[in-house]
């Protein structure tokens, strides 16, 4: 179906620009450095995360180039370790998380009918901390002692054997944490206090719900990470022995603490993805989301369970049998609410009037490929067999399926879905679809062979390997190069949409779209919803499900 | 924008500040309590 035929050309959009003139600051610094506008800050977050996506991605290219063949050909082993560590830190804290905060900034006020985020000045601070944090983190690569090389988990004693640059890494993590906590506080304060009259909690769009729960997760776990790295810092530089066995400390304790943060962190990256997909599938299936309330409870259940499964990351360090059983069964329990979600997305599509524009393609790609990551997660949850899989490429394949065709595909789906709303122009549907198909095929060439490498025993975080692993590594690297190059198409589509596209977007953009954001013009006025909008079944998707 | 909605937004923002302070307090307490527990146990 052509893009034109699927757009709504109705004129029922409430153009708030009529009664609210734009008051954009005229100067560049006023507009971007001192901005308190949620849309501008959202844009800053999204541009920053895209930049980090390419920096982290270029490190992945170094890793895959080194692993293209057995033997050491391009980089020294220590630099390879720095690449794996920095790739993870940048992708988690610099690309995926800020991208979701960018989406939250853009969409949450418009979705709940608020004029802006609740605390606009703090919003500005939340963003502008990040460039300094990541400049500091990246600068360690140019220091004598090099960047962090102990993996993003920063396990002692290895992480404590790094040089002076470790202090910069810890301070950068502190700054990222402060930024995340401030952003989360803003999200919660906005959702709980700034909703338009009539927008009850169980009328909120799923994206808002998933972000509300994500924000609580962030506030609960980021201080834990901050505390843990502070203790690492004092162990490294001030002679304490929190995790130093020689001084009476316990290195395994750090692993428990890290994963108490680290496992919820995984859900921090994926819950907003669930929200975006739950917005997109109903739009292009032209049906209300199946089981809206169940989706809300499933999200909350996943968030709760994420706090009681952390030790499945460390079955191999040794723990009592009862502990192993508890963490194994608790982990497997997560499959239940996750299964509810997948079932509801499929049920929403069932007998819907589906069309397959780029956002829908990425959303369907998400459902299928994320589920593959979920299934390999179930395999890893089994304590007895995890002893074989632990620290192999099977784990790498698992979490990359969850995070790349999972979280990153959802980010791309959301970008294509709301880009016309943000810019007022339609993107090139042809190039969007090319981007999807090249990405979807290459991401499987990249990560699927890594399952076999892991099952055959190839360890992760090594620059060299036995020749028996050569073929699958070469295939994986070729997939990686294609996937990396295909993201240039993504940038091209966005740049073309923003600066060159001549096709104006309507307010509603997609004929099946429902929600307050679609009642505004495209692009929305600089200040939207100064007058609270009317909440009824014509404007939002779940008005009939009031409780 | 009428006076009533202006008033509403003001009161909404006041409540939002209270929510933010409470959440910030929780985050700081988790951080300090966490480090203290490490210090006291060693």
């Amino acid at each position: 179906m052509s893009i034109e035929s699927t757009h709504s050309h109705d004129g029922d959009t409430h153009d708030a620009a009529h009664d609210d003139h734009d008051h954009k600051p005229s100067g560049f610094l006023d507009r971007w450095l001192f901005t308190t506008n949620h849309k501008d800050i959202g844009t800053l977050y999204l541009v920053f995360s895209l930049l980090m996506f390419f920096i982290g991605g270029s490190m992945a290219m170094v890793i895959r180039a080194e692993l293209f063949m057995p033997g050491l050909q391009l980089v020294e082993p220590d630099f390879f370790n720095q690449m794996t560590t920095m790739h993870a830190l940048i992708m988690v804290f610099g690309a995926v998380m800020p991208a979701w905060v960018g989406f939250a900034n853009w969409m949450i006020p418009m979705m709940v009918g608020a004029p802006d985020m609740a605390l606009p000045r703090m919003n500005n601070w939340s963003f502008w901390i990040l460039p300094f944090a990541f400049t500091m983190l990246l600068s360690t690569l140019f220091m004598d002692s090099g960047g962090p090389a102990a993996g993003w988990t920063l396990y002692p004693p290895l992480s404590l054997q790094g040089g002076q640059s470790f202090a910069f890494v810890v301070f950068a993590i502190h700054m990222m944490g402060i930024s995340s906590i401030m952003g989360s506080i803003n999200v919660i304060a906005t959702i709980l206090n700034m909703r338009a009259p009539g927008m009850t909690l169980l009328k909120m769009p799923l994206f808002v719900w998933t972000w509300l729960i994500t924000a609580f997760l962030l506030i609960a776990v980021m201080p834990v990470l901050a505390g843990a790295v502070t203790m690492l810092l004092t162990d490294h530089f001030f002679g304490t022995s929190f995790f130093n066995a020689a001084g009476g400390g316990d290195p395994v304790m750090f692993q428990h603490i890290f994963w108490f943060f680290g496992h919820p962190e995984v859900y921090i990256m994926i819950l907003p993805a669930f929200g975006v997909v739950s917005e997109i599938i109903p739009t292009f299936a032209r049906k209300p989301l199946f089981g809206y309330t169940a989706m809300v409870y499933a999200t909350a259940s996943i968030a709760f369970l994420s706090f009681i499964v952390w030790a499945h990351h460390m079955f191999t360090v040794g723990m009592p049998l009862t502990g192993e059983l508890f963490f194994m069964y608790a982990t497997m329990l997560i499959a239940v609410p996750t299964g509810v979600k997948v079932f509801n997305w499929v049920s929403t599509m069932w007998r819907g009037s589906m069309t397959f524009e780029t956002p829908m393609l990425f959303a369907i790609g998400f459902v299928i490929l994320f589920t593959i990551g979920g299934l390999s997660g179930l395999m890893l949850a089994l304590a007895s067999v995890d002893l074989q899989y632990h620290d192999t490429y099977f784990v790498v394949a698992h979490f990359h399926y969850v995070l790349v065709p999972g979280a990153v595909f959802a980010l791309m789906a959301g970008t294509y879905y709301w880009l016309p709303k943000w810019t007022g122009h339609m993107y090139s549907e042809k190039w969007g679809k090319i981007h999807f198909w090249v990405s979807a095929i290459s991401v499987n060439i990249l990560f699927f062979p890594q399952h076999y490498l892991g099952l055959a025993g190839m360890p992760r975080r090594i620059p060299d390997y036995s020749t028996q692993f050569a073929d699958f590594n070469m295939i994986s690297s070729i997939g990686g190069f294609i996937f990396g190059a295909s993201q240039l198409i993504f940038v091209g589509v966005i740049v073309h949409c923003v600066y060159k596209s001549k096709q104006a977007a309507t307010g509603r953009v997609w004929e099946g779209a429902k929600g307050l954001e679609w009642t505004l013009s495209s692009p929305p006025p600089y200040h939207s919803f100064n007058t609270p909008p009317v909440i009824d079944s014509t404007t939002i998707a779940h008005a009939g499900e009031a409780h | 924008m009428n006076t009533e909605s202006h008033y509403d937004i003001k009161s909404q923002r006041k409540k939002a500040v209270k929510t933010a302070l409470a959440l910030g307090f929780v985050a700081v307490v988790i951080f300090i309590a966490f480090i203290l527990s490490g210090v006291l146990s060693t």
Side-chain angles (χ1 to χ4, degrees):
Chain A
M1 183 176 279
S2 71
I3 188 87
E4 287 80 10
S5 63
T6 58
H7 293 160
S8 164
H9 293 285
D10 56 5
D12 65 347
T13 53
H14 165 71
D15 189 348
H18 288 178
D19 46 70
D20 176 47
H21 300 287
D22 276 4
H23 295 289
K24 286 191 186 80
S26 50
F28 182 83
L29 287 183
D30 282 348
R31 173 78 191 274
W32 298 109
L33 185 61
F34 303 121
T35 182
T36 54
N37 183 282
H38 73 100
K39 300 181 185 83
D40 283 350
I41 295 172
T43 303
L44 287 169
Y45 267 110
L46 291 171
V47 171
F48 175 82
S49 67
L50 191 61
L51 179 67
M52 288 294 126
F53 184 57
F54 276 92
I55 292 174
S58 64
M59 293 171 179
M61 294 298 105
V62 172
I63 294 166
R64 284 316 323 169
E66 178 57 52
L67 294 174
F68 188 74
M69 285 190 297
L72 297 174
Q73 41 265 326
L74 294 176
V75 294
E76 293 296 315
D78 186 52
F79 187 73
F80 183 89
N81 290 341
Q82 292 176 37
M83 287 291 100
T84 55
T85 305
M86 290 290 264
H87 164 72
L89 287 172
I90 285 172
M91 287 305 201
V92 170
F93 294 108
V96 176
M97 285 173 67
W100 286 131
V101 182
F103 273 85
N105 262 286
W106 252 105
M107 302 316 302
I108 287 175
M110 293 203 290
M111 284 177 150
V112 301
D116 204 310
M117 295 296 277
L119 305 147
R121 290 185 189 88
M122 193 169 83
N123 207 12
N124 176 292
W125 273 91
S126 304
F127 172 74
W128 278 109
I129 285 175
L130 283 180
F132 294 98
F134 282 91
T135 303
M136 196 182 310
L137 181 64
L138 287 166
S139 71
T140 59
L141 288 172
F142 304 99
M143 295 178 185
D144 286 344
S145 55
W152 84 292
T153 51
L154 303 171
Y155 281 179
L158 188 58
S159 63
L160 298 177
Q161 293 164 10
Q164 305 298 311
S165 66
F166 188 67
F168 289 77
V169 176
V170 170
F171 193 39
I173 290 172
H174 277 145
M175 289 167 79
M176 295 167 205
I178 291 168
S179 167
S180 294
I181 289 170
M182 290 202 298
S184 304
I185 288 173
N186 225 334
V187 165
I188 296 172
T190 304
I191 296 171
L192 294 187
N193 299 291
M194 305 291 284
R195 300 192 311 278
M199 176 66 82
T200 56
L201 287 174
L202 280 173
K203 285 182 185 172
M204 295 193 310
L206 240 295
F207 179 69
V208 180
W209 258 114
T210 53
W211 237 115
L212 179 65
I213 292 166
T214 300
F216 277 112
L217 282 182
L218 271 164
I219 290 173
V221 301
M222 288 311 287
V224 174
L225 176 69
V229 295
T230 304
M231 292 180 192
L232 277 182
L233 186 81
T234 58
D235 273 9
H236 193 299
F237 294 102
F238 303 110
T240 58
S241 297
F242 290 111
F243 308 121
N244 180 3
D250 184 0
V252 174
M253 179 56 75
F254 179 86
Q255 298 189 22
H256 281 287
I257 296 166
F258 180 86
W259 287 112
F260 185 78
F261 146 81
H263 199 79
E265 171 65 28
V266 175
Y267 292 95
I268 285 163
M269 289 189 279
I270 206 69
L271 290 185
F274 291 165
V276 166
V277 170
S278 302
E279 299 297 325
I280 291 172
I281 288 178
T283 294
F284 295 100
R286 292 163 181 78
K287 278 174 65 188
L289 183 69
F290 183 88
Y292 165 84
T293 315
M295 289 294 237
V296 173
Y297 289 125
T299 309
S301 305
I302 292 170
F304 170 74
L305 289 171
S306 75
F307 281 106
I308 56 168
V309 298
W310 77 87
H312 68 217
H313 294 272
M314 34 190 298
F315 281 140
T316 54
V317 302
M319 67 179 81
L321 181 64
T322 46
E324 283 192 2
L325 289 172
F326 172 80
F327 286 109
M328 180 174 83
Y329 287 125
T331 304
M332 295 174 82
L333 208 54
I334 296 180
V336 177
T338 311
V340 167
K341 283 183 171 292
V342 174
F343 178 84
N344 285 1
W345 289 323
V346 174
S347 300
T348 305
M349 288 187 265
W350 179 251
R351 293 188 171 174
S353 301
M354 287 168 62
T355 52
F356 299 95
E357 289 80 358
T358 309
M360 184 62 159
L361 289 175
F362 272 104
I364 293 172
F366 168 92
V367 174
I368 296 168
L369 298 176
F370 172 80
T371 304
I372 291 177
L375 286 172
S376 58
L378 274 177
M379 294 167 71
L380 289 163
L382 300 166
S384 52
V385 291
D386 181 73
L387 299 178
Q388 303 296 316
Y389 303 146
H390 186 85
D391 261 349
T392 70
Y393 256 82
F394 190 85
V395 180
V396 178
H398 156 68
F399 70 74
H400 277 97
Y401 260 91
V402 172
L403 290 176
V404 183
V408 173
F409 267 31
L411 284 166
M412 287 164 178
T415 303
Y416 283 113
Y417 186 53
W418 283 306
L419 194 61
K421 168 58 60 185
W422 297 338
T423 63
H425 304 291
M426 293 308 299
Y427 61 86
S428 165
E429 191 63 39
K430 181 181 123 189
W431 281 102
K433 284 179 175 163
I434 290 172
H435 173 223
F436 168 75
W437 284 110
V438 178
S439 295
I441 293 167
S442 60
V443 85
N444 283 293
I445 298 172
L446 166 57
F447 293 122
F448 207 80
Q450 295 180 6
H451 290 109
Y452 298 116
L453 288 170
L455 290 174
M458 177 171 162
R460 61 190 292 204
R461 293 178 179 141
I462 54 152
D464 190 10
Y465 50 82
S466 165
T467 49
Q468 64 174 315
F469 304 127
D471 292 346
F472 278 132
N473 266 300
M474 188 177 282
I475 294 168
S476 179
S477 290
I478 290 169
F481 299 146
I482 300 171
F483 183 75
S486 68
Q487 302 323 307
L488 297 173
I489 302 173
F490 184 50
V491 177
V493 172
I494 293 171
V495 170
H496 179 268
C497 178
V498 174
Y499 295 108
K500 295 274 183 192
S501 175
K502 297 206 169 23
Q503 191 183 356
T506 60
R508 191 168 293 279
V509 182
W510 314 107
E511 68 173 353
K514 274 202 165 186
L516 288 178
E517 75 269 33
W518 306 109
T519 65
L520 296 165
S521 59
S522 299
Y526 197 61
H527 300 289
S528 43
F529 295 130
N530 275 339
T531 306
V534 175
I535 310 294
D536 60 33
S537 59
T538 62
T539 53
I540 64 169
H542 311 291
E545 304 194 28
H547 290 258
Chain B
M1 191 162 63
N2 61 34
T3 320
E4 194 182 345
S5 68
H6 186 68
Y7 172 77
D8 282 342
I9 286 172
K10 263 189 149 180
S11 68
Q12 277 179 327
R13 284 203 192 281
K14 266 189 180 171
K15 284 181 193 165
V17 170
K18 281 184 186 167
T19 308
L21 287 173
L23 292 170
F25 179 74
V26 168
V28 171
V29 164
I30 293 173
F31 177 68
I32 292 173
F34 188 76
I35 291 185
L36 270 182
S37 70
V39 171
L40 295 176
S41 67
T42 50

